[in-house]
Each structure stands twice: as structure tokens, then as C-alpha cells.
Amino acid sequence: MTEGSAPAERGAREQGEANGVTRRRNEREILAAAERVFARHGYRGASLQAIAEQAGLPKSNVLYYMGSKRGLYVRLLERMMERWNALLDDISVEDDPAEVLEAFIRSKMQLSRRHPEGSRLFAAEILGGAPFLQEYLRGELRDWVLARARVFEQWAERGLMDPVDPVWLIFLIWSATQHYADFETQVLGITGRDALSDTDVEEITTFLTRVILKGCGVRARDADPAR
């Protein structure tokens, strides 16, 4: 190694790390801005220029990092589903269904609260016939749901819950937890609130957990299935 090679290599590595940090920061800003713009205006009404302005970046940067408006839109939708479903990715028949379902409901409520624009964006896509997500819905997401459903069926076979249809159960949890973001205006109007407080969200979460677990006949691992 020559005398000047080590500093040069170190400088190149540091520059590469700095570039990586910049890229991750810019991608976060673009995705956050795109979520707001798409949720507000829909796919057709949104523009890359508007997203760039929201992100505080040139439009060329949006194209460089995301490739296209369509690519950015699909990436947002898939990211939302990945966030929602991450908690169930590694479940197995050995897990306690009461703990898993309660944690899933709680996680979904918190994600809908933190990312209401993403939830509304996904709802709008589905209500519009899912023109950009058909392949994902019929492929990757369908496989994911069926794999989780099989675990639920095994829990029922072991007497840890009633033999409810597991796919309908997943739909129920998705819809019940997303309602408070997708239909926030309705919720606030009927309840007379300006916004849901942390206490409100905790009460809703506790209510949904109690109703869903009771409706599924979920029992603790050491419960007697005959009772």
C-alpha cells in the first residue's frame, strides 16, 4: 500500500457513508411528502412537482430516487401493508393466540394513528378497484394471508380458539383498526371531538381486543377447552 492510499481509501469510504446517509434522508422525505400528496389528491391529482415541493427537493431528485410516479405510488402502498402486517410475519402454532391477536390489534391501531395518510391512501386505492395493486393482492399478499390463516386453523384444532374463518378474521382486524384513520371525520363528528386523545385510542384498542377475542373464543394457553 502506498503512503497516500490509506487516507484516500478512508476519504472515499467516508464520502460513501455520507452519500448513503443523504440518500436515506432524502428517500424518507420524499416518501413522507408523497404519502401526504397522494392521500390528499389521489393518484391522478398528484404530481411529482407537488411531491418535490412538499419534500423540499428538486423534482429531478424525486425521479432519481424513485424512478417514476407509478413506482413511488406502489412503493408507498406496499410499505403500508408491510408496516401493518410485520407483527404477524413470524407467528407459529406454538404462540399464544391471545397475545398475538391483542398485539396485532394494538400495533394496527398505533400505526393507523401515526400514519393516517397512508391508511387513507390504501383505502382509496382499494375503493378505486386497486388498479396498481392487483398483482400484489393476488400474489404476495394472498400468500401471506393464507399462511397466517393456516396458523389460526391450527390454534383452533388445538382448542385455543373457535374454528372461525381465519381470512374473515384478518379482514375484520384490518377494517376495524383502520376505521379510525380512514373515517376520522365521521368518528370526530359523531363523538363531538376535535381529535382522538391517547386515552381515546387506548379505550378503543381495549374495546376491539375484548370484542374480537371473545368473538373468536380465544382462550389462554392453560385454559380448559371444554369450559
Side-chain angles (χ1 to χ4, degrees), residues 43-118:
Y43 180 79
R44 291 186 177 180
S47 70
L48 289 178
Q49 183 60 47
I51 292 168
E53 290 173 1
Q54 279 273 324
L57 294 167
K59 179 180 174 181
S60 58
N61 280 33
V62 177
L63 288 169
Y64 174 74
Y65 289 119
M66 301 299 167
S68 67
K69 176 181 170 180
R70 179 191 178 99
L72 174 55
Y73 182 73
V74 172
R75 180 170 171 178
L76 278 173
L77 292 169
E78 293 183 351
R79 184 182 71 161
M80 198 70 225
M81 290 303 297
E82 289 168 2
R83 282 173 174 168
W84 285 340
N85 298 330
L87 191 69
L88 292 186
D89 278 347
D90 299 321
I91 64 169
S92 76
V93 68
E94 300 304 322
D95 293 325
D96 182 346
E99 292 179 2
V100 169
L101 292 175
E102 180 175 359
F104 186 42
I105 294 166
R106 184 167 297 277
S107 173
K108 281 284 283 88
M109 281 296 299
Q110 289 301 322
L111 283 170
S112 293
R113 183 164 170 76
R114 288 199 299 269
H115 305 283
E117 294 93 351

Side-chain angles (χ1 to χ4, degrees), residues 90-163:
D90 299 321
I91 64 169
S92 76
V93 68
E94 300 304 322
D95 293 325
D96 182 346
E99 292 179 2
V100 169
L101 292 175
E102 180 175 359
F104 186 42
I105 294 166
R106 184 167 297 277
S107 173
K108 281 284 283 88
M109 281 296 299
Q110 289 301 322
L111 283 170
S112 293
R113 183 164 170 76
R114 288 199 299 269
H115 305 283
E117 294 93 351
S119 184
R120 293 179 197 127
L121 177 65
F122 187 84
E125 169 69 10
I126 299 302
L127 288 171
F132 295 96
L133 280 184
Q134 283 299 324
E135 182 177 348
Y136 175 70
L137 295 176
R138 295 177 182 274
E140 181 180 341
L141 187 58
R142 181 176 186 272
D143 292 342
W144 183 93
V145 168
L146 293 179
R148 305 300 75 78
R150 180 53 188 150
V151 174
F152 291 2
E153 289 169 346
Q154 291 173 307
W155 284 337
E157 290 165 5
R158 297 178 65 179
L160 296 176
M161 62 185 294
D162 293 343

